[in-house]
């Protein structure tokens, strides 16, 4: 029996149930088409989409949308912008199906993005608790610089940004993937969860980082490591590829990683 | 005749007229107190405030607020967070006046933050046009890597983030200070202003940077340099110190720079 795009989508959303308010949907493609192969990715960049075609995969499952903003753009958003127009034409010509898998994956019984990140760090045994928007680890006391280097090595990222002192020993670590670094969420956690260190993907520079700066100036042992948005969420999309491969053993499933969106000069 | 805090504030807002909706106000202090000295800063960190006391300056004029968010926090926002509580107590005990000067400075006949940035870069002669949220420069054709290194040197910042190819020659440059890197603002500019390069302070990683990535993959000569939020706005607060020193020659005026909020590992 053939597996359709819709079959895969149904399997993906099954653990959560259908959400009424979500950015997740089949942005392009034909739900009744047979799946020839699946690519998962953090961001459906044009390179990722072209790679899917090379891999003979007609379904791309991506955490973010293809058009540079969180919500799907209106037709009018980019007018006749040539980058938008060329990418949209490429997608339509390719026949690729693109399923956005953001909200559902975050709402799995265990947030799939967070699970992927923790597995990539091999911090599974250190999990002290999971909350919807963050997890708390209790790791053996380690200096900020050693943790930063460990994160770079295990996640294979070229550079992280660090707030606080390099030699501060950290044991209680708050972990937040993606754009969850805002002060409204993170600052109260520092106290409530008695954190030594927060590690997040992305957040406004004048909120949590400035809080950590003042905390350290006041003599408190607080620290921050900023991974980058994609860097913090890609492991979760790699984990998704592994899950789908087990669920659909007859379909080739690939995780396609992008290069870092920035070079650090 | 003595100069009061209110005298200085009046002079600061005079070129704009009183705004009804603004985050700018005297957050702490006594408007009738005589000004002993003025410190300008991007962010009124606790170190900056302590430095103001050392300099015998009782008026701190800062672009951002003291409490880690754009809007002034409610009393309930941070509960009994010890960093917040200690900083607030320090401010009240010190008697310092803190005036937030964000919206007014951006709305000066020439945006003071942008003016300071352009002067620091010595790009005055390259200005092609000023718009409220951005300026366009026409510089001699220069590679991205050379521009990145020039920005680092002139602004004295340790690291910038770059999107695109290092050897792309750029002539038309869009410049945006602070948190103006969002795709809704920047992406349309790329076409409308025929930009080769955008330089901004801060913005979401999945918007403009991903647009530039796809544009480059499609073979277009587009590039992006991200300075950091504070890094892009500090020169404007230094320029303000110079302006105030001319307006109030009898009062000592100091610009106090912070260290970068991040270390890059």
């Amino acid at each position: 029996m053939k597996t359709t795009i819709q079959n895969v989508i149904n399997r993906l959303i099954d653990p959560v149930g259908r959400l009424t308010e979500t950015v997740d949907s089949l942005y392009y493609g034909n739900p009744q088409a047979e799946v020839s192969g699946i690519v998962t990715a953090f961001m459906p960049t044009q390179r990722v989409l072209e790679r899917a075609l090379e891999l003979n995969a007609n379904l791309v499952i991506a955490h973010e949308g293809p058009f540079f903003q969180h919500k799907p753009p209106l037709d009018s958003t980019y007018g006749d912008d040539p980058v938008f127009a060329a990418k949209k034409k490429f997608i339509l010509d390719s026949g690729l199906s693109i399923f956005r898998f953001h909200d559902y994956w975050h709402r799995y019984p265990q947030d799939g993005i967070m699970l992927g990140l923790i597995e990539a760090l091999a911090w599974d045994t250190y999990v002290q608790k999971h909350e919807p928007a963050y997890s708390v680890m209790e790791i053996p006391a380690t200096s900020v610089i050693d943790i930063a280097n460990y994160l770079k090595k295990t996640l294979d990222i070229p550079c992280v940004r660090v707030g606080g002192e390099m030699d501060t020993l950290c044991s209680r670590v708050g972990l937040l993937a993606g754009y969850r670094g805002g002060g409204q969420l993170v600052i109260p956690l520092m106290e409530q969860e008695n954190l030594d260190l927060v590690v997040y993907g992305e957040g406004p520079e004048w909120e949590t980082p400035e809080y950590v700066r003042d905390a350290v100036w006041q003599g408190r042992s607080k620290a921050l490591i900023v991974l980058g948005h994609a860097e913090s969420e890609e492991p979760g999309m790699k984990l998704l590829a592994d899950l789908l491969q087990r669920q659909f053993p007859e379909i080739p499933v690939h995780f396609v990683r992008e290069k870092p969106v920035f070079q650090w000069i």
Side-chain angles (χ1 to χ4, degrees), chain A:
Chain A
M1 209 183 85
K2 74 175 190 179
T3 300
T4 65
I5 305 284
Q6 191 63 52
N7 293 147
V8 176
I9 293 172
N10 290 346
R11 185 74 76 93
L12 282 171
I13 73 179
D14 181 61
V16 179
R18 188 163 291 280
L19 298 173
T20 50
E21 293 216 3
T22 175
V23 294
D24 292 2
S25 71
L26 188 65
Y27 280 39
Y28 293 97
N30 171 12
Q32 300 316 319
E34 181 171 0
V35 178
S36 60
I38 300 173
V39 156
T40 73
F42 168 68
M43 179 77 68
T45 66
Q46 190 153 341
R47 188 184 79 80
V48 164
L49 299 176
E50 292 180 19
R51 183 79 186 121
L53 291 185
E54 289 169 10
L55 292 165
N56 191 34
N58 63 348
L59 172 58
V60 174
I61 302 170
H63 195 59
E64 305 294 343
F67 293 122
F68 329 120
Q69 59 183 38
H70 183 65
K71 296 201 170 174
L74 305 173
D75 273 348
S76 60
T77 302
Y78 294 114
D80 50 3
D81 180 277
V83 178
F84 171 75
K87 189 172 185 181
K88 187 168 176 181
K89 181 174 186 309
F90 171 81
I91 293 169
L92 292 172
D93 289 350
S94 71
L96 283 170
S97 290
I98 303 179
F99 183 65
R100 175 93 179 268
F101 191 56
H102 181 279
D103 300 339
Y104 285 102
W105 199 209
H106 278 303
R107 295 192 199 181
Y108 262 45
Q110 271 202 293
D111 178 336
I113 292 290
M114 181 59 85
L115 201 61
L117 180 57
I118 291 170
E119 282 194 17
L121 298 175
W123 276 1
D124 318 53
T125 55
Y126 298 143
V127 172
Q128 209 250 339
K129 71 170 177 177
H130 290 299
E131 294 288 337
Y134 66 95
S135 296
V136 177
M137 320 281 128
E138 185 116 23
I139 66 172
T142 309
S143 69
V144 170
I145 182 72
D146 285 350
I147 295 174
N149 283 323
Y150 179 79
L151 295 171
K152 285 173 60 179
K153 190 179 72 176
T154 51
L155 301 178
D156 185 24
I157 53 183
C159 192
V160 296
R161 291 185 288 175
V162 178
E165 306 286 347
M166 291 300 158
D167 55 359
T168 299
L169 287 178
C170 302
S171 176
R172 287 186 63 83
V173 180
L175 192 60
L176 303 98
Y179 199 91
R180 284 180 172 160
Q184 218 173 345
L185 173 59
V186 176
I187 292 174
L189 294 188
M190 286 283 194
E191 263 315 285
Q192 287 165 21
E193 302 291 358
N194 190 27
L195 301 178
D196 306 312
L197 169 69
V198 165
V199 178
Y200 65 65
E202 184 181 7
E205 293 175 11
W206 68 95
E207 294 187 357
T208 305
E210 293 291 349
Y211 174 92
V212 171
R213 185 211 293 269
D214 274 342
V216 171
W217 184 257
Q218 290 176 0
R220 301 171 207 276
S221 288
K222 301 289 180 189
L224 169 66
I225 299 177
V226 180
L227 298 173
H229 193 133
E231 288 75 4
S232 72
E233 297 202 302
E234 277 187 327
M237 296 310 284
K238 183 170 186 298
L239 181 71
L240 178 65
D242 300 340
L243 175 69
L244 284 167
Q245 191 62 88
R246 287 196 301 277
Q247 292 178 331
F248 299 97
E250 73 290 0
I251 299 174
V253 183
H254 314 268
F255 167 70
V256 175
R257 190 178 181 192
E258 256 294 359
K259 286 190 288 189
V261 73
F262 292 119
Q263 296 178 73
W264 311 68
I265 301 296

